[in-house]
Amino acid sequence: MFCKFVQVLYKPSLNQFSNLHYIPDIQRCYNQYAKYLQDDFAKFNENILFYLEQSFPFFWVVLNEEDEFMGFVALENPCGDENQLYSVELLTCLDKKAWGSFSRYSANIFLKKCFEELGVYKIKALVFPDNFRTSTLLKTSGFKYETTLESETLRFGKPQDIDVYARYRE
């Protein structure tokens, strides 16, 4: 099995993105699973390029061995400075065709990248309690449940709890 992560980069000086040909796939995948990803305040659906700009330089598309789009991952709300990236929040969105062994395999590869290449100490994942697939993937990837933030946000106009999972660099 093989997967690869292709970074989508924003070049502020040129107001230009790299790998724009993935935008339709990113938008389609996001729209398909938006109910598991967004609260009532999400900006992603309004303007995908704005989200990519805000995520710079921490947004990657996930490809399989045939370079087929399988989903995307992003790191949000980085905490640290230019010398150390201490913690980040993980956002994942994988097509159904990536569920199962591919998602577990790609998660392990990506987490290794975060810890070894980016030097991250802590990766958090905030999950709506009804998103059992993501919770299961996180647990099989070494994340531990930390807490539930009660009524942390609004979703569909109602207060929404959020479960917090974390994994630390070994």
Side-chain angles (χ1 to χ4, degrees), residues 57-118:
F58 303 118
F59 189 98
W60 296 264
V61 294
V62 183
L63 306 175
N64 67 9
E65 57 273 0
E66 288 90 30
D67 286 336
E68 179 184 10
F69 178 88
M70 300 298 276
F72 61 86
V73 294
L75 301 177
E76 301 178 330
N77 300 317
C79 177
D81 59 23
E82 63 276 353
N83 298 318
Q84 181 183 11
L85 189 57
Y86 181 77
S87 72
V88 293
E89 292 176 15
L90 175 66
L91 173 89
T92 64
C93 187
L94 297 174
D95 265 337
K96 190 172 186 174
K97 63 188 171 198
W99 296 357
S101 60
F102 183 87
S103 63
R104 289 187 299 276
Y105 174 77
S106 62
N108 288 329
I109 299 297
F110 187 72
L111 293 171
K112 184 176 180 179
K113 175 184 191 62
C114 290
F115 292 129
E116 293 180 6
E117 290 179 30
L118 301 177

Side-chain angles (χ1 to χ4, degrees), residues 119-137:
V120 175
Y121 176 72
K122 178 182 181 179
I123 301 173
K124 298 179 283 187
L126 283 62
V127 182
F128 295 133
D130 62 335
N131 191 351
F132 66 91
R133 283 186 180 89
T134 297
S135 297
T136 300
L137 177 59

